[in-house]
Amino acid sequence: MGSVQRAMRLLESVAEHEHGAPAKQLARETGLALPTAYHLLRTLVHEGYLRRDKGLFFLGEAAERLSSSGAEQKRRSTVVEALAHWRDLIGVPVYYAQYRNGEIEILCVSDSPGNPAVEEWADFRETGHAHAIGQCLLAQLDDEARRDHLDRYPVQSITPYTVRDGHSLLRRLERTARMEPVTERQEYALGTVCAAIPITLGNAAATMAISLPAHQADRLLAATQQLQDEIGRLMGTLAISISI
């Protein structure tokens, strides 16, 4: 345990020196005997946590991976907390999704026993034409990317309310303003209505969405507007975090 603690102190000391530091300085700053510091520094270099260049020690790739992983977890935690807050505030399940590498990806869902999320009874990736999340993401794509997606995942009717064919869907998407919320009623799942709000992430397509039982359809527009207002208030904080 003592060796681990001393190694961590050395890592922390190296991290404070952007332009590197020699072993003698690191030993002095950490209060370690020079032979002990040398031994631990060599071990950390061997394991990839430090690198040595011209007598100076810098953080290595292994340490940088740890830092990157920690930052990613923190960003994800920010999104999870925001979705849980909106779930409780509005009283609806909240979803976060992106269009990445040609696929619709649901990255985070926050629901509760009293307000459960929609069951994925048909693959969300293959049925983007039928649910609000998919329609919102497709509406943000350019025409070529949109047609490519529909070539790979053709429109198919999965409920009596689903759009009937690709041409009808494309016309609907073309009429949708880029930052306008998208709603669908029982197109993906009978008994469920949904809405999705487009999110600006540079050139990436992203969305936050909600769902409600069909018998609460009269709440959909007000709940969507409330979520849109909440997103606007937190967008500065979320701008970096939501690319999880």
Side-chain angles (χ1 to χ4, degrees):
M1 181 64 72
S3 294
V4 173
Q5 291 174 332
R6 289 190 287 271
M8 294 302 295
R9 279 155 52 193
L10 282 169
L11 281 172
E12 290 171 353
S13 184
V14 172
E16 293 175 356
H17 297 281
E18 181 181 355
H19 302 293
K24 288 183 179 180
Q25 181 179 354
L26 295 170
R28 185 171 63 253
E29 291 177 354
T30 55
L32 298 176
L34 187 57
T36 301
Y38 269 127
H39 171 70
L40 290 173
L41 288 168
R42 283 196 299 269
T43 301
L44 290 168
V45 169
H46 178 73
E47 296 298 328
Y49 291 99
L50 294 178
R51 62 182 176 86
R52 187 177 184 181
D53 183 22
K54 298 178 181 178
L56 301 178
F57 291 89
F58 303 81
L59 290 180
E61 290 185 3
E64 291 170 355
R65 285 196 300 271
L66 285 175
S67 175
S68 175
S69 176
E72 182 177 346
Q73 290 179 6
K74 184 175 181 180
R75 291 196 301 270
R76 182 174 180 83
S77 176
T78 299
V79 175
V80 170
E81 290 173 4
L83 264 63
H85 171 69
W86 295 331
R87 174 201 66 204
D88 295 340
L89 179 68
I90 307 173
V92 295
V94 185
Y95 312 75
Y96 172 60
Q98 282 188 24
Y99 194 83
R100 301 200 300 194
N101 301 317
E103 301 291 349
I104 293 166
E105 297 189 18
I106 311 293
L107 299 176
C108 190
V109 179
S110 186
D111 65 351
S112 65
N115 295 293
V118 177
E119 181 182 353
E120 186 178 356
W121 73 275
D123 193 317
F124 279 140
R125 295 188 182 198
E126 299 179 5
T127 56
H129 62 280
H131 49 74
I133 287 174
Q135 292 175 23
C136 185
L137 294 174
L138 291 173
Q140 296 176 61
L141 304 181
D142 61 33
D143 185 64
E144 181 180 355
R146 197 179 293 160
R147 290 179 182 275
D148 172 73
H149 183 91
L150 295 178
D151 284 343
R152 289 181 288 117
Y153 300 117
V155 170
Q156 54 180 317
S157 294
I158 58 176
T159 81
Y161 303 96
T162 308
V163 63
R164 293 302 178 198
D165 56 69
H167 294 299
S168 299
L169 176 67
L170 287 171
R171 285 197 298 271
R172 180 195 295 184
L173 297 176
E174 288 166 359
R175 291 195 299 267
T176 302
R178 180 172 172 80
M179 299 314 295
E180 177 182 317
V182 173
T183 61
E184 59 91 356
R185 298 169 188 267
Q186 305 191 84
E187 294 182 46
Y188 174 79
L190 292 176
T192 302
V193 296
C194 303
I197 298 166
I199 302 294
T200 300
L201 269 183
N203 294 324
T207 182
M208 298 278 186
I210 62 173
S211 61
L212 282 165
H215 68 268
Q216 296 183 30
D218 58 336
R219 289 186 56 208
L220 185 63
L221 295 182
T224 303
Q225 184 61 58
Q226 188 175 3
L227 177 60
Q228 197 166 22
D229 292 343
E230 290 294 322
I231 292 172
R233 273 193 281 273
L234 280 181
M235 200 61 217
T237 303
L238 288 174
I240 298 174
S241 302
I242 60 178
S243 51
I244 55 178

